[in-house]
Amino acid sequence: MTEEAAVRIKDMLEKDEILSSGHRMCAGCAAPTIVKLMGMALRGPTVVCEATGCLEVATTIYPYTAWKIPWIHVAFENASAVASGVVEAYKVMHQKGRFEHEHVDVIAIGGDGGTFDIGFGSLSGMLERGHDVVYMVYDNGAYQNTGIQRSGATLPGQETTTSWAGKVSPGKEQRKKPIAEIVAAHKIPYVATVSPYHRRDFIQKFRKALEVEGPAFIHAISPCPRGWRSETGKSMELAKLAVETGIHPLYEVFDGEEYKMSGPSKRIKELTPIEDYMKPQGQFRHLFKDPQWEGFREQIQTWIKEDWELLKKKCGVE
Amino acid sequence: MSEKFDEIPMAGNIIKPGNATEYKTGGWRSERPVHIPETCLWIKNGTCGICWIYCPDMAIKLIEKDGKYEFEYDYDYCKGCGICYNECPTDSIKMEKE
């Protein structure tokens, strides 16, 4: 329980990695980087519970596992329920004297499908019961693992295999679920949004999430070159642009009430136009090719600006 | 993994953590990152390390030995995504065709 979070590069190098090489995530996927940064924030014995998703499937293809810490997977919809069970089990084992450690950190990880849609019921239940779990969602904007189907986290205008773009439709027409705010509405102690590009911010927030008593929630953006049809080397750049364009603003929410904008977002004077974020991605190509969707593109920009202004108001930032 | 049926652990459990290292993903690569030590900040004074932080395959080894800094690619696992090449602040990494 005494291990410090590693923020400086020298400390990071000394910290044990929790994910090994040889996992079969796609080239350029940001999720292993997210797990690596998560490992930098750990403070002692940790258990990871995972919902089905790219990360679960590709890191544990039998007979291999890339995880170096205890890891459990059950089903798509119940990562948070399993995490609750793990917390209770350790509590009982400790009471009966069968387990020496005072405390075990339990982390639940889900993709955006397993969090925004399928696992939402069990997530909400866990938050309501107040189990001491950190839930992290790595949000790549669709069910990338099963073949890029739209999810609640898909951005408007994004083309997926269940929201095709063409003459009739500009891709997904609806807005993205504001998951961090929905979770914050449960009045849990800590909610934060992070981006792997801003690594210091990421590690510090994750450490805060581990340290609070009760449930905490982390929303990380995770660029997916395969599904976003972007270049594999551009993943971190897109993670940065997502913050700069206001698509994924970085903020924290304490006890569901107190909003606080984080440094990287606070320093933004004016939002970068979303075109900069969309152009490197093939999934938004139709918005530029077909002149009839120009209006829709402006509509997306307006939505994002509205959300940004509202967030600024909540955080008390001018 | 080429064990016979009676050598596989009971219930097919995976006993060794992180045994994915036995599976080499280097063959996925179509472009190979090559390090240029002259301008690299890690070699110079042991700072930066951005490539190591962002590498999703843990294929970069930053080694500190007797006050000297060394840099090494693990081409057994590097998938050639090019994140290190894109993010290097001093352009000390170049991509070459395999």
Side-chain angles (χ1 to χ4, degrees):
Chain A
M1 274 312 104
T2 47
E3 259 183 74
E4 289 290 315
V7 183
R8 285 164 52 243
I9 177 74
K10 292 267 165 76
D11 301 333
M12 282 181 174
L13 284 165
E14 274 165 29
K15 201 114 171 162
D16 295 328
E17 280 172 359
I18 60 170
L19 198 71
S20 76
S21 311
H23 59 74
R24 278 172 260 182
M25 302 294 282
C26 307
C29 177
T33 308
I34 289 174
V35 173
K36 187 195 251 178
L37 292 173
M38 185 185 106
M40 299 299 161
L42 299 188
R43 52 177 186 168
T46 311
V47 178
V48 172
C49 311
E50 245 211 276
T52 309
C54 293
L55 189 62
E56 176 269 327
V57 171
T59 54
T60 56
I61 295 176
Y62 190 77
Y64 304 109
T65 177
W67 291 85
K68 292 183 176 173
I69 53 173
W71 182 91
I72 182 173
H73 160 247
V74 181
F76 216 138
E77 64 280 7
N78 60 2
S80 3
V82 171
S84 310
V86 171
V87 171
E88 291 298 325
Y90 275 118
K91 220 185 259 172
V92 171
M93 271 162 67
H94 185 67
Q95 273 169 12
K96 290 187 176 170
R98 289 197 210 155
F99 190 67
E100 51 183 320
H101 295 292
E102 191 71 17
H103 181 82
V104 176
D105 285 320
V106 181
I107 298 170
I109 304 179
D112 56 289
T115 307
F116 286 62
D117 306 339
I118 303 177
F120 188 70
S122 81
L123 169 64
S124 182
M126 182 198 85
L127 302 173
E128 184 264 327
R129 290 189 300 271
H131 281 113
D132 192 2
V133 174
V134 179
Y135 194 102
M136 182 171 80
V137 46
Y138 68 98
D139 169 9
N140 48 25
Y143 292 84
Q144 310 290 10
N145 160 46
T146 49
I148 322 169
Q149 286 88 11
R150 86 186 265 282
S151 77
T154 306
L155 287 169
Q158 197 168 327
E159 184 181 31
T160 66
T161 52
T162 47
S163 62
W164 287 110
K167 283 188 190 126
V168 187
S169 157
K172 184 178 162 175
E173 286 165 47
Q174 297 81 8
R175 297 175 76 163
K176 179 175 176 163
K177 240 188 222 186
I179 192 79
E181 281 163 64
I182 296 171
V183 168
H186 289 75
K187 307 265 177 210
I188 63 166
Y190 189 71
V191 175
T193 59
V194 295
S195 152
Y197 179 83
H198 299 285
R199 50 198 183 276
R200 258 182 213 168
D201 182 68
F202 187 116
I203 297 166
Q204 281 159 351
K205 279 177 178 168
F206 206 93
R207 185 52 178 247
K208 258 189 224 170
L210 286 169
E211 276 167 359
V212 292
E213 290 286 321
F217 184 85
I218 304 273
H219 180 191
I221 185 133
S222 166
C224 168
R226 181 70 194 85
W228 293 11
R229 319 274 186 210
S230 58
E231 271 178 59
T232 52
K234 291 265 161 74
S235 293
M236 287 303 144
E237 208 179 307
L238 285 172
K240 178 183 163 206
L241 277 170
V243 175
E244 285 175 356
T245 50
I247 283 169
H248 187 79
L250 302 183
Y251 59 93
E252 300 165 285
V253 190
F254 301 93
D255 301 312
E257 284 162 5
E258 197 188 323
Y259 278 69
K260 191 181 160 206
M261 202 173 270
S262 319
S265 269
K266 219 182 206 170
R267 283 194 287 274
I268 298 172
K269 292 213 170 69
E270 202 164 319
L271 290 181
T272 316
I274 46 164
E275 277 79 8
D276 292 15
Y277 176 75
M278 288 174 165
K279 278 218 171 112
Q281 299 179 44
Q283 61 175 357
F284 291 113
R285 198 192 297 126
H286 56 278
L287 294 180
F288 299 96
K289 238 163 83 184
D290 198 339
Q292 67 161 319
W293 302 132
E294 212 146 284
F296 189 68
R297 216 173 65 214
E298 278 156 24
Q299 175 70 56
I300 301 170
Q301 180 73 73
T302 329
W303 279 338
I304 284 165
K305 276 210 173 123
E306 274 171 23
D307 287 350
W308 174 249
E309 290 303 323
L310 192 65
L311 182 71
K312 279 213 298 204
K313 216 168 161 191
K314 279 179 183 166
C315 299
V317 178
E318 276 313 303
Chain B
M1 204 76 176
S2 56
E3 284 141 335
K4 294 199 181 91
F5 74 96
D6 53 350
E7 290 165 356
I8 294 169
M10 192 181 280
N13 287 332
I14 304 168
I15 292 171
K16 204 174 139 215
N19 71 345
T21 46
E22 289 166 24
Y23 187 91
K24 307 274 193 284
T25 50
W28 296 20
R29 196 170 58 237
S30 62
E31 279 186 318
R32 162 191 294 257
V34 177
H35 183 237
I36 307 161
E38 284 78 35
T39 46
C40 175
L41 291 174
W42 169 256
I43 301 283
K44 246 183 212 163
N45 48 18
T47 53
C48 185
I50 285 175
C51 51
W52 179 84
I53 295 166
Y54 289 151
C55 178
D57 293 301
M58 283 57 94
I60 292 173
K61 302 268 173 286
L62 300 183
I63 308 151
E64 193 182 349
K65 216 161 61 185
D66 316 322
K68 278 204 166 175
Y69 299 103
E70 286 168 29
F71 183 103
E72 210 175 89
Y73 270 113
D74 195 339
Y75 289 115
D76 279 350
Y77 302 110
C78 172
K79 291 172 188 159
C81 64
I83 288 181
C84 50
Y85 162 72
N86 267 296
E87 296 303 325
C88 182
T90 57
D91 295 330
S92 301
I93 294 162
K94 59 173 191 233
M95 299 298 278
E96 280 177 4
K97 279 262 176 296
E98 271 293 313

